[in-house]
Amino acid sequence: DGGITQSPKYLFRKEGQNVTLSCEQNLNHDAMYWYRQDPGQGLRLIYYSQIVNDFQKGDIAEGYSVSREKKESFPLTVTSAQKNPTAFYLCASSTRQGTITDTQYFGPGTRLTVL
Amino acid sequence: DAKTTQPPSMDCAEGRAANLPCNHSTISGNEYVYWYRQIHSQGPQYIIHGLKNNETNEMASLIITEDRKSSTLILPHATLRDTAVYYCIVRPGTGANNLFFGTGTRLTVIP
């Protein structure tokens, strides 16, 4: 089955600890994205990557870091500098930006709770 | 900045058609209308998108007005599994990274 996987589904961490969220896709998509969703709100873009070894900041990149060493993988690290890390994190992928229809497809999400 | 306006909530009887409206009066000529839905605690699911013409797929139909300032997503025979928050999004066909999800319409399908 082709798709996007995120693990784990639920994650608990102590305040001050860095944590890395996994995102893997086997859709052969070039572009990948990380969003954050807070209760009752829409999605906000954290980082995106159009191609391996390249990524760009989104609207709320402060306190987060990413890497894109492989086409299939786009892990997100929530650092201790992120003031309000508790949220629902969503990963998405799409065919390469610049095509006429680059529909984004989403993974199931990781709910991070910082205690 | 919100480019779309949707009612916050709607109810629909099971088996009936659910018609979800969306206003996008400032849409540009190169912007598509996308619809996603999100079931509680899951990732958003792509439903359908269109530019000018009406579109239909196995999930839904999308009706776009001639002036493109509004659209309607139609779920022809709503089931309880269609209970979700539905998001209407406008975005350029190329060059856009962000999907702006507003607060959407919470559709409740009633038995």
Side-chain angles (χ1 to χ4, degrees):
Chain A
D1 281 343
I4 303 172
T5 57
Q6 292 185 244
S7 60
K9 188 170 177 62
Y10 298 97
L11 190 56
F12 297 87
R13 279 295 182 269
K14 292 183 178 179
E15 192 172 348
Q17 289 182 334
N18 292 355
V19 60
T20 298
L21 281 59
S22 167
C23 178
E24 304 278 331
Q25 55 96 3
N26 61 4
L27 300 168
N28 200 32
H29 285 169
D30 287 296
M32 297 186 74
Y33 312 80
W34 273 105
Y35 291 88
R36 168 185 173 138
Q37 186 175 35
D38 292 286
Q41 298 187 27
L43 278 63
R44 292 184 289 170
L45 183 65
I46 304 172
Y47 269 98
Y48 64 95
S49 167
Q50 297 182 43
I51 197 168
V52 173
N53 292 323
D54 181 68
F55 48 83
Q56 305 295 330
K57 293 182 179 180
D59 299 325
I60 55 165
E62 186 175 351
Y64 299 97
S65 66
V66 293
S67 63
R68 188 85 188 278
E69 297 177 2
K70 298 187 299 182
K71 186 176 184 178
E72 306 80 28
S73 178
F74 190 40
L76 173 75
T77 297
V78 184
T79 75
S80 56
Q82 167 51 232
K83 291 185 170 56
N84 297 298
T86 294
F88 189 44
Y89 290 87
L90 289 157
C91 179
S93 70
S94 71
T95 54
R96 186 169 183 172
Q97 185 186 37
T99 59
I100 293 176
T101 53
D102 52 346
T103 301
Q104 293 186 23
Y105 296 91
F106 286 83
T110 291
R111 189 167 298 279
L112 173 65
T113 301
V114 175
L115 306 172
Chain B
D1 293 335
K3 291 185 176 182
T4 65
T5 303
Q6 299 177 251
S9 64
M10 293 180 62
D11 292 339
C12 178
E14 188 177 16
R16 303 295 294 270
N19 299 295
L20 291 89
C22 180
N23 287 324
H24 31 79
S25 58
T26 60
I27 192 169
S28 301
N30 68 339
E31 287 186 315
Y32 286 73
V33 179
Y34 277 77
W35 283 84
Y36 283 80
R37 72 180 182 185
Q38 188 174 24
I39 296 169
H40 183 62
S41 294
Q42 297 183 26
Q45 178 187 22
Y46 165 76
I47 301 173
I48 198 168
H49 73 280
L51 183 63
K52 296 180 183 178
N53 300 321
N54 298 337
E55 302 288 344
T56 295
N57 63 20
E58 64 279 4
M59 289 183 68
S61 295
L62 174 60
I63 309 297
I64 302 174
T65 58
E66 191 169 347
D67 62 8
R68 301 186 69 238
K69 292 185 177 182
S70 65
S71 61
T72 301
L73 178 74
I74 301 172
L75 307 178
H77 305 287
T79 70
L80 298 179
R81 292 183 181 182
D82 292 322
T83 292
V85 178
Y86 287 76
Y87 297 97
C88 170
I89 300 160
V90 295
R91 62 172 302 201
T94 61
N97 302 301
N98 206 348
L99 284 179
F100 181 79
F101 282 68
T103 51
T105 296
R106 180 173 297 279
L107 175 69
T108 302
V109 180
I110 303 169

